[in-house]
Amino acid sequence: MDSHGQYERRIVWTVVDTGIGPLLLAATGEGLVNVVFHAAGPVRDRALERLASRLGTEPVQAPGDPLLARAAEQLTAYFSGARHSFDLPLDWSLISGFNREVLRELASGVPYGTVVGYGALAGRVGQPGAAQAVGAAMGANPLPVVVPCHRVVESDGGIGGFGGGLEAKRKLLALEGVLPEPLF
């Protein structure tokens, strides 16, 4: 507890190397709270500043934290093809409302090796016609890869956008067998 009788929120973080580059993993006592692409140098530093601002406390580097170690192990297994789902507690505090509803449906209802269209996902949460809002929710996903926004594609067969970059989305979809492996 702090001096005001409030429980302090602790944020721990580490960076793991993956098949799509370094990912920053951050967790609270509730669970994994943030995954950030391209987590080296200034990108990592900006992500940590945003976390501190949004959650009200400075993140502490702690690669040995049990939850972060478990998340890193599961990501390593995922990128090696040995794991098809994640079994981690998630802290949804960085997202709310429609975006949280869409991301929860995505996490529970779109398994490894499958894709869903933006419009179809909107329909699953009772908002047919909200495909653009689903796209915005994917862009706001604080837990990419673990909450698999890479599995959301355009209804016409296009790959759609991706916060980690289209090359990363292609690699993730290839890893899951949805797309052929990139030639280069």
Side-chain angles (χ1 to χ4, degrees), residues 2-27:
D2 66 14
S3 61
H4 298 66
Q6 300 291 315
Y7 285 98
E8 290 186 54
R9 179 170 224 169
R10 183 168 186 247
I11 307 167
V12 292
W13 68 274
T14 193
V15 173
V16 296
D17 289 319
T18 71
I20 56 170
L23 295 177
L24 179 139
L25 307 178

Side-chain angles (χ1 to χ4, degrees), residues 20 37-38 118 149-150 152-154 158-174 179 182:
I20 56 170
F37 294 107
H38 316 295
Y118 293 95
C149 52
H150 59 276
V152 183
V153 297
E154 296 174 350
I159 195 169
F162 193 59
L166 292 182
E167 180 183 346
K169 187 170 187 173
R170 284 187 191 97
K171 284 182 178 181
L172 290 166
L173 291 173
L179 291 176

Side-chain angles (χ1 to χ4, degrees), residues 49-180:
E49 288 170 13
R50 276 192 311 274
L51 273 172
S53 173
R54 299 225 20 225
L55 298 178
T57 190
E58 286 296 319
V60 175
Q61 188 172 12
D65 176 83
L67 176 56
L68 292 178
R70 193 166 133 213
E73 288 170 11
Q74 289 188 23
L75 281 161
T76 298
Y78 170 81
F79 281 102
S80 75
R83 177 174 275 280
H84 293 175
S85 63
F86 296 95
D87 179 26
L88 299 166
L90 302 178
D91 177 340
W92 294 93
S93 63
L94 293 177
I95 197 138
S96 62
F98 177 79
N99 290 357
R100 183 186 292 190
E101 185 179 358
V102 168
L103 291 172
R104 284 181 179 261
E105 173 59 29
L106 174 64
S108 65
V110 183
Y112 184 95
T114 65
V115 294
V116 64
Y118 293 95
L121 188 53
R124 286 187 186 192
V125 297
Q127 297 291 324
Q132 287 184 324
V134 166
M138 295 307 103
N141 181 4
L143 296 161
V145 182
V146 175
V147 176
C149 52
H150 59 276
R151 296 181 190 153
V152 183
V153 297
E154 296 174 350
S155 61
D156 66 1
I159 195 169
F162 193 59
L166 292 182
E167 180 183 346
K169 187 170 187 173
R170 284 187 191 97
K171 284 182 178 181
L172 290 166
L173 291 173
L175 173 70
E176 295 188 11
V178 175
L179 291 176

